[in-house]
DNA sequence: GCAAAACCTTGACCCAAATCAAAAGCACCC
DNA sequence: GGGTGCTTTTGATTTGGGTCAAGGTTTTGC
């Protein structure tokens, strides 16, 4: 077996009510049954804090439903989001005792948790899980680097278009579709959370969303419900080279 | 053995002429001998490109000496650095065929390379190496998130102070010292590379360096040679909460 | 040792996004 | 039904950093 063949497991237990990504047949009966024994669920209400930076964190977890964010805050209150956790995303670091970031539920949130010690022991016994975790971490690092380009070099308008495209893509992937043409979904973030994601103020976010609406790049029903008439146009506005590399 | 006990190996072979980080005794005789069999060296001149984004990349590597950068470029030429590789840093992704970023030598560079296929096979046989790679990737993700806070929320002055502090810390760690008090080292980057790191223009970098010099936060001999009279003052300018967590 | 090139600094001006301010829309709850 | 307290939108103004331009300094190569 090569690394490329590693099971595309989501690192949630076999019984979790999500199958957002293709899961190979073996995962049902193999490593994930080990996870089964050490799991427990925790739910949080919208706005609740899962952990403060510095808190003891004795579990790792997989998001089952809802949205959570990782944020960093400076002493004077400036806040930057550094992670956005959607269903099937993994949070927590084996080998670290405390949370490095504030983890906040931005919607009602259900997480499938694994006590850290047994999880770490399981990782040592089952290299497939460790390898999958490495793969997921490398994906996250790629996403972080894309995000760095956005923060460092994109205009406010491009930032908003990029964020909408990212959410559209993730939404399509949860529905096992390719992002293409007309797309409909809900923005899972407030204007303030978007601002913290993009390194902008919420006023600028609001203004740029209005501008994209005015220019027909996006349509809005209410504050949250978005229709994208043309995904390629959105990508152009985002400044991304549309290389088709986002197909699921 | 727990995950915390995993060897603090640098993922360079036992024969590489660097020991920048504490390396446990076993690493000399154990997994790294396996690396020994599949390694080869490559050197690059300052300014040379190691790989363009999209190029086939059939090796992973550890930096032995010199500096390399990972950069992303938009179609119109806007450039953002997304990785800075100093000696002992690892580059390349098991399980991916092509480079995702431009990799450029900014000084003369020596890399200790491992052909990807044998390296991947070795990872499957020796979980310690995979675990160490996971640990290093998680560290890199943390660094990327710190970088995101810098890009999204810090002022130009804070960005420069942060970068100088980061380089000072890395330099101290290469010398197996704690960053503290008076420090002397060379900036390994041009003003333009700093600008690409920080999401600024090179003019702003130059202006802010002049300002920090004028205010006594840093001293400069020539363009590159820096003296920091007071590391804590620099950290204050960087907007970091000085929690002492940077000790090696 | 000198010319050319590359790199760096400084100045003047401009603009995108921040800040400050106010009003409008919306959800929740007695 | 109509406060009460959010969140969002929009407007007016300010400002930090970008852009354009010129000149200075260091490095490179013959």
């Amino acid at each position: 077996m090569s690394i490329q063949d590693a099971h595309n497991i989501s690192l949630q237990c076999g019984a979790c009510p999500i199958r957002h990504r293709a899961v190979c047949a073996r995962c049902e009966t193999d490593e994930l049954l080990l996870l089964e024994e050490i799991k427990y669920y925790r739910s949080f209400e919208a706005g609740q804090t899962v952990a403060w930076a510095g808190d003891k964190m004795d579990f790792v977890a997989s998001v089952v439903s809802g949205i959570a964010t990782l944020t960093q805050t400076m002493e004077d209150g400036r806040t930057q989001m550094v992670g956005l956790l959607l269903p099937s995303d993994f949070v927590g670091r084996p080998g670290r005792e405390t949370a490095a970031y504030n983890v906040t539920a931005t919607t009602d949130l259900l997480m499938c948790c694994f006590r850290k010690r047994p999880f770490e022991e399981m990782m040592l016994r089952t290299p497939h899980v460790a390898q999958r975790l490495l793969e997921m971490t490398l994906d996250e690092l790629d996403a972080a680097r894309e995000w760095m380009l956005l923060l460092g070099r994109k205009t406010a308008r491009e930032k908003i278009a990029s964020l909408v495209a990212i959410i559209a893509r993730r939404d399509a992937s949860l529905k096992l579709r390719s992002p293409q043409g007309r797309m409909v979904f809900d923005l899972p973030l407030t204007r303030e959370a978007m601002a913290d994601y993009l390194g902008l103020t919420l006023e600028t976010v609001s203004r740029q969303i209005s501008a994209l609406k005015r220019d027909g790049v996006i349509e809005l029903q209410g504050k949250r419900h978005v229709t994208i008439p043309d995904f390629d146009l959105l990508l152009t506005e985002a400044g991304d080279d549309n290389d088709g590399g986002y197909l699921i």
Side-chain angles (χ1 to χ4, degrees), chain A:
Chain A
M1 180 178 128
S2 82
I3 284 176
Q4 285 81 353
D5 299 332
H7 299 191
N8 188 14
I9 59 179
S10 297
L11 290 183
Q12 76 270 14
C13 66
C16 280
I18 46 168
R19 280 291 171 277
H20 296 299
R21 300 187 170 282
V23 175
C24 79
R26 277 186 63 196
C27 293
E28 299 286 346
T29 56
D30 202 355
E31 297 89 345
L32 290 176
L33 286 186
L34 298 168
L35 296 179
E36 198 66 32
E37 298 161 16
I38 60 171
K39 79 163 187 202
Y40 58 98
Y41 290 101
R42 291 184 68 182
S43 59
F44 298 87
E45 289 174 23
Q48 231 184 319
T49 296
V50 176
W52 294 104
D55 281 1
K56 192 156 164 36
M57 183 119 166
D58 56 359
F59 62 93
V60 297
S62 170
V63 174
V64 177
S65 63
I67 316 276
T69 62
L70 307 183
T71 56
Q72 270 188 309
T73 303
M74 295 173 68
E75 281 165 21
D76 60 6
R78 280 176 283 175
T79 298
Q80 176 65 50
M81 195 189 297
V82 296
L84 179 62
L85 301 171
L86 303 185
S88 86
D89 283 339
F90 187 81
V91 60
R93 172 170 177 161
R96 171 180 287 164
E97 292 303 310
T98 57
Y101 312 101
N102 300 325
V103 185
T104 313
T106 59
T107 66
D108 288 349
L109 179 70
L110 181 63
M111 299 205 305
C112 180
C113 302
F114 311 102
R115 282 178 296 122
K116 187 177 284 163
R117 199 53 54 84
F119 186 84
E120 288 171 359
E121 284 158 11
M122 194 262 300
M123 271 180 63
L124 290 169
R125 284 198 313 275
T126 55
H128 287 165
V129 172
Q131 237 143 59
R132 177 65 187 137
L133 190 54
L134 173 58
E135 206 175 275
M136 292 171 77
T137 306
L138 285 163
D139 285 344
E140 242 182 303
L141 188 55
D142 280 340
R145 286 170 165 164
E146 197 66 45
W147 201 335
M148 283 165 55
L149 176 66
L150 178 151
L151 288 170
R153 294 302 186 193
K154 290 191 177 179
T155 64
R157 185 182 173 100
E158 288 170 336
K159 284 179 175 182
I160 297 287
S162 297
L163 176 56
V164 174
I166 286 166
I167 293 169
R169 243 174 243 173
R170 285 291 309 247
D171 183 78
S173 121
L174 293 183
K175 295 175 188 156
L176 295 173
R177 290 214 221 104
S178 291
Q180 221 170 355
R182 193 172 189 81
M183 304 174 72
V184 179
F185 56 93
D186 283 345
L187 292 174
L189 299 175
T190 65
R191 300 291 184 265
E192 189 181 15
M194 289 188 232
D196 287 342
Y197 188 110
L198 301 170
L200 297 171
T201 59
L202 65 89
E203 293 96 327
T204 299
V205 169
S206 182
R207 269 186 254 275
Q208 294 299 332
I209 287 179
S210 298
L212 288 175
K213 195 166 58 173
R214 174 172 43 70
D215 299 344
V217 180
I218 61 175
E219 294 160 19
L220 269 183
Q221 292 79 45
K223 295 170 185 172
R224 297 293 187 93
H225 195 69
V226 178
T227 303
I228 299 173
D230 179 353
F231 190 66
D232 285 343
L233 174 59
L234 182 67
L235 289 184
T236 307
E237 290 288 349
D240 297 347
D241 26 346
N242 177 5
D243 58 1
Y246 51 81
L247 298 180
I248 54 172

